[in-house]
């Protein structure tokens, strides 16, 4: 493998723009691909801004090569529509790093990547799209990857960048811990409120009960998580800025499809597989699905 792998990024939204900017800063700017052509990407952070020159390609036919490393940052609701991009970007020599929510990244992407190796990740930073199409990075970017050979390509690509990369021998536990955080954030959609809503005592109690349900399912799936994880997650929302949103809330407010199944429905589905009652999921999931897909 070359010390300088060819890199592409599919989905220059909030997370994708952050990774593209981190790579651009050290002279490894990826080829940018997405649904909409843009002349550039702009990432704003506490010290200023990074402008990533485009263009963002919007036609897979414009590509003339496969890539060594492809970061996939489209929402899971957009994976099927990205099939032509994935076919054009990937072959059996490609490592696909999924910058996506959930614990089912490999099963969702593997049928569409021409035999490429799919490497799941956990994204640990808040970044949000602003009205002017720039992205506001609100914390230091960090990724966790499974400790396996394919991760080396991502570690090398992001070495000496503003995005830290950690490897974990127990990626399953970390991925489920992040899923619990994403699942309880679904309550923000139902309330149409940002993180400040967790300062209410009744919301804290509901969140803890829901996280307890999610934790039981996560453990049945092999995650090793402590009894304190629910309280730790809620405490994190208590410490967050009151105006901190989440991607699923932004999608609901923009009337876009929601990642309800990959973030919340998965708990209900796996609970049924293991015979675990999920009474809170049985309320939350239909409401999120209806908010995403209607009718009405």
């Amino acid at each position: 493998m070359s010390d300088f792998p060819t890199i592409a990024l599919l989905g220059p939204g909030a997370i994708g723009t952050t990774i593209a900017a981190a790579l651009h800063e050290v002279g490894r700017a990826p080829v940018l691909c997405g649904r909409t052509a843009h002349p550039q990407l702009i990432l704003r952070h506490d010290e200023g801004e990074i402008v990533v020159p485009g263009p963002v390609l919007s036609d897979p036919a414009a590509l003339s090569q496969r890539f060594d490393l492809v970061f996939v940052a489209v929402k899971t609701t957009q994976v099927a529509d990205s099939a032509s991009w994935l076919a054009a970007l990937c072959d059996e020599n490609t490592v696909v790093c999924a910058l996506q929510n959930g614990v089912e990244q490999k099963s969702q992407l593997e049928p569409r990547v021409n035999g490429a190796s799919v490497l799941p990740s956990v994204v640990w930073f808040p970044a949000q799209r602003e009205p002017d199409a720039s992205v506001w990075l609100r914390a230091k970017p960090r990724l966790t990857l499974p400790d396996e050979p394919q991760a080396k390509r991502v570690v090398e690509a992001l070495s000496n960048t503003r995005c830290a990369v950690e490897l974990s021998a127990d990626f399953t536990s970390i991925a489920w811990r992040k899923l619990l955080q994403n699942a309880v954030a679904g309550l923000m959609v139902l309330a149409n409120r940002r993180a400040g809503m967790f300062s209410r005592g009744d919301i804290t109690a509901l969140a803890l009960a829901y996280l307890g349900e999610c934790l039981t399912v996560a453990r049945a799936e092999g995650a090793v998580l402590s009894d304190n994880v629910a309280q730790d997650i809620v405490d994190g929302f208590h410490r967050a800025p009151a105006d901190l949103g989440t991607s699923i809330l932004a999608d609901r407010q923009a009337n876009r499809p929601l990642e309800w199944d990959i973030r919340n429905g998965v708990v209900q589905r796996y609970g049924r597989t293991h015979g675990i009652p999920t009474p809170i999921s049985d309320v939350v999931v239909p409401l999120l699905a209806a908010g995403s897909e209607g009718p009405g």
Side-chain angles (χ1 to χ4, degrees):
M1 185 180 68
S2 168
D3 290 335
F4 301 97
T6 55
I7 306 173
L9 183 137
L10 175 60
I15 300 302
T17 293
T18 301
I19 297 299
L23 291 166
H24 171 69
E25 276 191 302
V26 296
R28 303 173 201 148
V31 172
L32 304 173
C33 309
R35 291 179 301 172
T36 305
H38 294 287
Q40 62 186 20
L41 305 176
I42 299 174
L43 181 74
R44 305 187 192 281
H45 52 88
D46 288 345
E47 294 84 35
E49 69 177 33
I50 303 166
V51 178
V52 183
V56 175
L57 304 178
S58 58
D59 182 1
L63 296 172
S64 59
Q65 67 175 111
R66 303 301 203 277
F67 291 82
D68 299 320
L69 175 60
V70 176
F71 288 99
V72 175
V74 298
K75 299 283 183 68
T76 56
T77 53
Q78 300 166 337
V79 167
D81 292 339
S82 300
S84 57
W85 275 114
L86 294 169
L89 290 164
C90 305
D91 63 18
E92 67 276 7
N93 299 311
T94 304
V95 171
V96 173
C97 182
L99 305 172
Q100 297 176 309
N101 290 314
V103 293
E104 299 171 311
Q105 298 159 340
K106 293 186 75 166
S107 62
Q108 287 218 340
L109 289 172
E110 280 179 342
R112 298 179 167 90
V113 294
N114 276 344
S117 299
V118 176
L119 186 74
S121 74
V122 175
V123 177
W124 290 111
F125 56 90
Q128 62 191 55
R129 178 80 75 178
E130 296 293 280
D132 64 358
S134 68
V135 170
W136 180 19
L137 178 62
R138 302 186 64 155
K140 182 175 174 57
R142 177 169 63 96
L143 300 178
T144 301
L145 308 175
D147 189 1
E148 55 188 59
Q150 292 85 352
K152 180 181 179 183
R153 200 168 295 185
V154 179
V155 170
E156 291 182 348
L158 288 171
S159 63
N160 301 312
T161 71
R162 68 173 54 238
C163 183
V165 180
E166 304 165 348
L167 301 181
S168 174
D170 185 14
F171 183 78
T172 295
S173 297
I174 292 176
W176 271 97
R177 201 274 184 198
K178 178 62 183 294
L179 188 134
L180 265 63
Q181 180 176 314
N182 282 340
V184 79
L187 300 178
M188 297 162 71
V189 175
L190 302 183
N192 194 31
R193 295 288 179 179
R194 295 175 181 261
M197 66 177 260
F198 288 94
S199 65
R200 293 177 57 104
D202 51 1
I203 295 298
T204 289
L206 174 60
L208 289 171
Y210 185 29
L211 286 166
E213 177 176 299
C214 297
L215 178 59
T216 301
V217 174
R219 286 170 168 169
E221 281 293 305
V224 180
L225 296 170
S226 75
D227 293 339
N228 297 329
V229 68
Q231 188 65 58
D232 290 345
I233 290 172
V234 171
D235 288 347
F237 281 108
H238 288 164
R239 292 190 300 268
D243 67 340
L244 182 68
T246 182
S247 61
I248 194 170
L249 176 62
D251 285 341
R252 182 66 191 97
Q253 292 175 337
N255 202 31
R256 293 188 292 259
L258 307 181
E259 291 185 302
W260 63 268
D261 186 54
I262 204 73
R263 296 169 63 124
N264 299 87
V266 62
V267 174
Q268 185 188 53
R269 284 189 281 112
Y270 287 17
R272 289 172 177 169
T273 297
H274 293 286
I276 298 170
T278 56
I280 299 176
S281 293
D282 293 344
V283 174
V284 169
V285 170
L287 290 173
L288 288 173
S292 175
E293 300 161 13

